[in-house]
Amino acid sequence: MKTILLAGGAGYIGSHTAVELLNAGYDVIIADNYSNSSPEAVRRVEEITGKTVKTYEVDIKDTEKLEKIFQENNIDAVIHFAGLKSVGESIEKPVLYYRNNIDTTLSLLECMEKFNVNNIIFSSSATVYGEENPVPYTEDMKRGTCTNPYGWTKVMMEQILEDTAKANKNLSVVLLRYFNPIGAHESGKIGEDPKGIPNNLMPYVSQVAVGKREKLTVFGRDYDTKDGTCTRDYIHVVDLAKGHVKAVEYIFEHKGTEIFNLGTGTPYSVTEIVETFEKVNSLKVNHVYGGRRQGDLPECFANADKALKVLGWKTEKTLDDMCRDSWRWQKNNPDGYNK
Ligand code: NAD
Ligand code: UFG
């Protein structure tokens, strides 16, 4: 069976992907420095699947230590989740973001070349479509102008990976552009565990519901959208994780670079998220309407046809599932992995 290295695999999306890969029969190795995650997440992945995961506590930028992992294991493919992802923090600390996100990518590519590993799947983002492109986004659109350094790191890393695949004809690159992952594994054992005050909508909503935050501020109600609040393509993290399994199956049959949107194709507004969360979980989320957040696009959603056509992947879970599963995780783990 094939062995997949998950760089940054202890994080939110990586841990859910580890579960789906293990369930599909792959061997999984996780390399993470736990800067935004916890070894407890990996322990729970093992609990859910009944399988063991080899782990390395390592900074992926540290090429020497990374080489050891490639030396000790026969790696067939890499999935590169390791990155810093807070838009606001990236504006305050651009150098930290450029250094971490780009150097992790370069170290992985160097080691892969040295050890003749020719398959890499990269966690990209819908943010690369920038401000210019019209929704719904299709993969053939040009990358746009980002509003923050985090987004630019994704644009740059996509370019780096594409250039490397052009130069090395053996290399296969799959760029997965995620839309807005929310939800959690239905066991309630793994989920999103943001450190400090959450930046993203769903963890904020669930922390208000559990009593950790007083109220949600909805950023802007004067957009040209169905109810005046921004719309996004929210995708259940387990559907997203299954998209990675499909990408792994695909990558071994393919050379060059291929891009896939991983989204549902259906946008929901902030108000719809709050109302659905309240409805399916029979509770109230204290919220107020405030001003716009700088840099937010009114609408962002995918055309998800290519992933269906080429990978045979489509989402199965509903918005109700996303809200129910987010809440189960939050309720069972009010302090995340710190119990
Ligand atoms: P996460 O923070 O939960 O996971 C990232 C993991 O990478 C963490 O476990 C962190 O400790 C690790 N990491 C970071 N820098 C590292 C380094 N130098 N060495 C080793 N490990 C390192 O985030 P996530 O939500 O699981 O996101 C995974 C990837 O998907 C990221 O690259 C992110 O930018 C991208 N992405 C996320 C979203 C989203 O909304 N969650 C959307 C689009 C793209
Ligand atoms: N929102 C609120 N209140 C909050 C938090 C968010 O109203 O407290 C709103 C935002 O204004 C936005 C929507 O909820 O309209 C979603 O916001 P998120 O921060 O959850 O998600 P974004 O779409 O802004 O950002 C996500 C990823 C980024 C990625 C970006 C573009 O988190 O990594 O999509 O693809 F860059």
Side-chain angles (χ1 to χ4, degrees), residues 23-287:
N23 285 342
Y26 290 95
D27 286 332
V28 166
I29 299 171
I30 289 181
D32 204 302
N33 64 358
Y34 305 116
S35 58
N36 196 38
S37 56
S38 156
E40 175 64 13
V42 184
R43 201 194 61 72
R44 296 201 190 174
V45 166
E46 294 181 325
E47 196 179 304
I48 292 168
T49 58
K51 299 189 177 165
T52 48
V53 178
K54 195 167 180 184
T55 56
Y56 289 87
E57 182 167 355
V58 65
D59 189 324
I60 306 287
K61 299 196 291 297
D62 187 336
T63 315
E64 258 174 52
K65 289 209 178 116
L66 193 60
E67 276 190 12
K68 218 173 139 255
I69 304 178
F70 282 81
Q71 240 156 27
E72 289 177 6
N73 302 280
N74 271 327
I75 294 165
D76 296 291
V78 173
I79 309 185
H80 179 17
F81 300 101
L84 299 173
K85 62 163 184 177
S86 160
V87 170
E89 188 184 46
S90 80
I91 295 169
E92 281 157 32
K93 300 174 182 169
V95 176
L96 177 72
Y97 270 66
Y98 285 114
R99 170 69 84 193
N100 190 73
N101 291 2
I102 292 177
D103 264 9
T104 50
T105 308
L106 296 175
S107 292
L108 281 168
L109 285 171
E110 278 175 2
C111 285
M112 286 173 61
E113 187 174 9
K114 193 158 177 187
F115 292 87
N116 200 26
V117 176
N118 288 312
N119 302 294
I120 181 164
I121 295 169
F122 175 64
S123 298
S124 191
S125 166
T127 199
V128 303
Y129 289 108
E131 297 177 295
E132 300 87 346
N133 287 302
V135 285
Y137 299 131
T138 51
E139 293 86 346
D140 54 3
M141 290 172 172
K142 280 207 166 130
R143 289 184 278 262
T145 306
C146 291
T147 54
N148 58 79
Y150 165 76
W152 282 119
T153 68
K154 293 293 179 196
V155 169
M156 290 175 190
M157 290 184 286
E158 283 200 357
Q159 187 69 50
I160 289 168
L161 286 157
E162 274 182 13
D163 289 344
T164 312
K166 263 185 216 151
N168 175 359
K169 298 294 175 215
N170 293 320
L171 189 63
S172 178
V173 170
V174 170
L175 306 175
L176 298 179
R177 292 179 178 161
Y178 309 156
F179 282 70
N180 287 57
I182 58 171
H185 191 263
E186 64 176 13
S187 64
K189 289 182 196 294
I190 55 172
E192 189 169 10
D193 181 19
K195 292 198 159 67
I197 302 170
N199 302 297
N200 298 116
L201 179 63
M202 187 52 91
Y204 209 105
V205 167
S206 33
Q207 290 198 7
V208 171
V210 86
K212 286 186 78 171
R213 314 261 158 221
E214 193 204 331
K215 60 173 186 295
L216 169 79
T217 301
V218 177
F219 298 136
R221 202 187 196 176
D222 57 349
Y223 287 99
D224 186 15
T225 58
K226 47 186 154 185
D227 58 22
T229 64
C230 293
T231 66
R232 295 287 181 274
D233 187 337
Y234 296 95
I235 171 172
H236 196 295
V237 67
V238 171
D239 277 334
L240 186 74
K242 288 180 176 164
H244 290 73
V245 178
K246 292 286 190 189
V248 167
E249 287 164 8
Y250 170 82
I251 204 165
F252 294 115
E253 311 299 324
H254 167 268
K255 296 275 174 264
T257 300
E258 208 63 57
I259 306 175
F260 297 100
N261 287 338
L262 295 184
T264 65
T266 306
Y268 288 103
S269 74
V270 180
T271 299
E272 284 174 316
I273 294 289
V274 173
E275 286 175 352
T276 307
F277 193 93
E278 292 184 326
K279 181 194 74 184
V280 300
N281 298 316
S282 309
L283 46 74
K284 284 284 162 216
V285 176
N286 188 15
H287 62 284

